[in-house]
Amino acid sequence: MTRPLTPDDPTFDIDERHPPIRTRRVSFDWSETPLHWVPGDPVATHIINSFHIVLPEGEKWFIQCVKDARPYIKDAKLLEEIRGFIGQEMVHARSHQGVLDQILEANGIDVSRITGPAGRGNADRPAQMAALKERSPRRWRRRLRLELAAVAAIEHYTAVLGQWIMDNDRLDKAGVDPTMLDLLRWHGAEEVEHRSVVFDVYKAVGGRYPTRVLAWVLSLFFLYWALIGGSLYLLNQDPTIKGKVSLPRVYRSYRRSVRKGHVPGIFRLLLGEAPVYLRPSHHPSQVCSTPRALEYLMQSPAAQAAGYDPY
Ligand SMILES: [Fe+2]
Ligand SMILES: [Fe+2]
C-alpha cells in the first residue's frame, strides 16, 4: 500500500510497482561548469554529453508515445503515473537542453546535425500518426506498440544508468563538476522512480513479448549509435583536442575512463542487461531501488530547491 511521501519521511513503505511519481521543477546554473566537466577526461565527458544531445528530443518523443496511448488506458493508478511521467520527462528534456545551449554551443560545439532532424521528426510525427490512424487503425496500433516497446527498452537503460550514477562515488572523488553531477543523479533518480510506467502502458495497450524483443534489439542499435557516434561527433568538434582525435586513442581513453569509474563499460552494460530485460516475466519493479532514488532526491541541491508538484 502506498501513502504520500513527504520530504522528512524518506523511509516509508514503497510499492515498487507503483512508487509515487512527482514533477520537480528544477533549474541549473551552468555559469561555473567547465567544458570538460570530468576533469582531465574529455572522452568520458563527451560520452556522457552524447546523452545530452539525444535526450531533449528523445524524451519529447517518449511523451508523444505515451500521450497517444493514454486514451486507451483505463487503470486510474496508471493514468496518475502517466501524469507524473510526462511532467518529469518534460523537465528532463528542458534541463538537458540547457547543457546543449549553455555548455556545448557556448564552447563552439554545434549539435544541430543531430538535434535538427530529431526535432523535425518529433514535429512531423503527430500528423503522420493521425494520417496512419485514418488510413489503417491496425497499422497505427502496431506502430504505436512498437514505439512504446522501444521506449520501454530505453527506459530500462535510463533506470539502470540512473542507479549506476547514484551509486558511483568515484565521480565525486574525480572532482566532477557538482552541478553536472546533480543533474545526472537527479535525472537518474527520477528515471528509477518512473521506470515501470512505459512498460505498464505497453502492456495495457496489448503489447506482447515478440515485439518487446524486436524493439529491444532496435533500441540497442540506437543506443550504440547514439553513444559511439555522439561521442565521436563531439570529440571531433572539441576546440581543445580538435585534430588529435583518432579511433584507437579514443578507445584507449575510454578503457581508462571505465577503469577509473568515470563511465560505465557500455558494451557490457547494454548487452549484459539482455538476460534481465528479455526474461518473459520481467517487470521493471524487479530492478533498481526506489528508496535509493528517494534518498538521493532528498539531498539533491536542485531537487531540494525546486520542491515538487503536489498530488
Ligand atoms: Fe528522463
Ligand atoms: Fe524516463
Side-chain angles (χ1 to χ4, degrees):
M1 201 177 91
T2 54
R3 60 190 169 93
L5 173 72
T6 60
D8 53 356
D9 181 14
T11 54
F12 76 114
D13 296 332
I14 289 161
D15 174 356
E16 287 283 3
R17 284 186 87 94
H18 301 287
I21 299 165
R22 60 188 60 216
T23 307
R24 301 169 185 86
R25 302 203 178 273
V26 299
S27 60
F28 298 92
D29 173 5
W30 298 115
S31 56
E32 302 292 321
T33 301
L35 173 60
H36 296 161
W37 49 263
V38 184
D41 195 341
V43 169
T45 299
H46 289 309
I47 287 174
I48 303 181
N49 277 345
S50 59
F51 284 105
H52 294 307
I53 307 182
V54 290
L55 283 171
E57 292 303 332
E59 297 191 294
K60 287 178 200 163
W61 169 58
F62 299 174
I63 293 170
Q64 283 193 18
C65 295
V66 168
K67 279 186 171 171
D68 282 350
R70 187 165 52 182
Y72 304 93
I73 308 285
K74 302 282 171 269
D75 185 298
K77 204 168 209 173
L78 185 53
L79 284 168
E80 185 64 31
E81 288 167 356
I82 287 173
R83 204 159 67 97
F85 170 85
I86 291 172
Q88 289 193 342
E89 295 292 28
M90 274 167 61
V91 182
H92 297 172
R94 193 178 65 207
S95 304
H96 289 280
Q97 188 64 48
V99 176
L100 296 187
D101 298 341
Q102 293 169 53
I103 301 179
L104 296 182
E105 299 272 1
N107 279 283
I109 297 177
D110 173 29
V111 295
S112 63
R113 261 180 58 196
I114 296 172
T115 56
R120 285 192 291 281
N122 273 343
D124 295 344
R125 188 184 169 281
Q128 281 173 6
M129 287 300 273
L132 183 61
K133 196 174 185 181
E134 180 85 26
R135 237 181 14 250
S136 167
R138 216 178 123 178
R139 282 181 54 205
W140 175 84
R141 268 197 306 276
R142 217 184 304 150
R143 173 169 164 181
L144 180 59
R145 280 193 198 125
L146 180 64
E147 289 189 42
L148 284 168
V151 178
I154 297 171
E155 285 282 283
H156 175 77
Y157 285 109
T158 55
V160 167
L161 284 164
Q163 189 75 40
W164 178 85
I165 203 149
M166 283 190 289
D167 294 343
N168 183 0
D169 62 355
R170 293 167 82 186
L171 293 169
D172 307 78
K173 287 177 193 143
V176 169
D177 177 74
T179 309
M180 186 62 80
L181 201 47
D182 188 31
L183 171 133
L184 296 169
R185 285 181 173 157
W186 152 77
H187 187 170
E190 292 198 340
E191 290 301 320
V192 170
E193 274 190 321
H194 72 226
R195 66 195 185 279
S196 297
V197 175
V198 182
F199 191 93
D200 288 345
V201 168
Y202 174 65
K203 291 278 203 181
V205 297
R208 303 193 27 204
Y209 184 69
T211 305
R212 176 150 78 85
V213 176
L214 170 66
W216 175 80
V217 174
L218 296 174
S219 305
L220 205 70
F221 278 110
F222 167 76
L223 288 169
Y224 279 126
W225 168 82
L227 282 166
I228 299 168
S231 309
L232 293 173
Y233 176 63
L234 292 168
L235 284 162
N236 277 312
Q237 289 190 74
D238 187 318
T240 66
I241 49 172
K242 234 184 203 164
K244 297 183 217 154
V245 178
S246 71
L247 266 180
R249 283 177 83 167
V250 171
Y251 185 72
R252 278 197 301 274
S253 285
Y254 157 73
R255 293 302 315 163
R256 236 185 347 261
S257 305
V258 171
R259 279 196 298 278
K260 289 180 182 165
H262 296 174
V263 286
I266 52 177
F267 297 97
R268 195 192 294 176
L269 178 113
L270 295 182
L271 271 171
E273 286 298 309
V276 178
Y277 189 72
L278 296 182
R279 212 173 36 226
S281 63
H282 171 75
H283 186 269
S285 58
Q286 297 156 356
V287 297
C288 303
S289 162
T290 305
R292 176 72 188 102
L294 292 172
E295 187 192 352
Y296 181 72
L297 290 163
M298 300 287 173
Q299 70 190 55
S300 155
Q304 287 304 303
Y308 42 79
D309 284 2
Y311 285 109

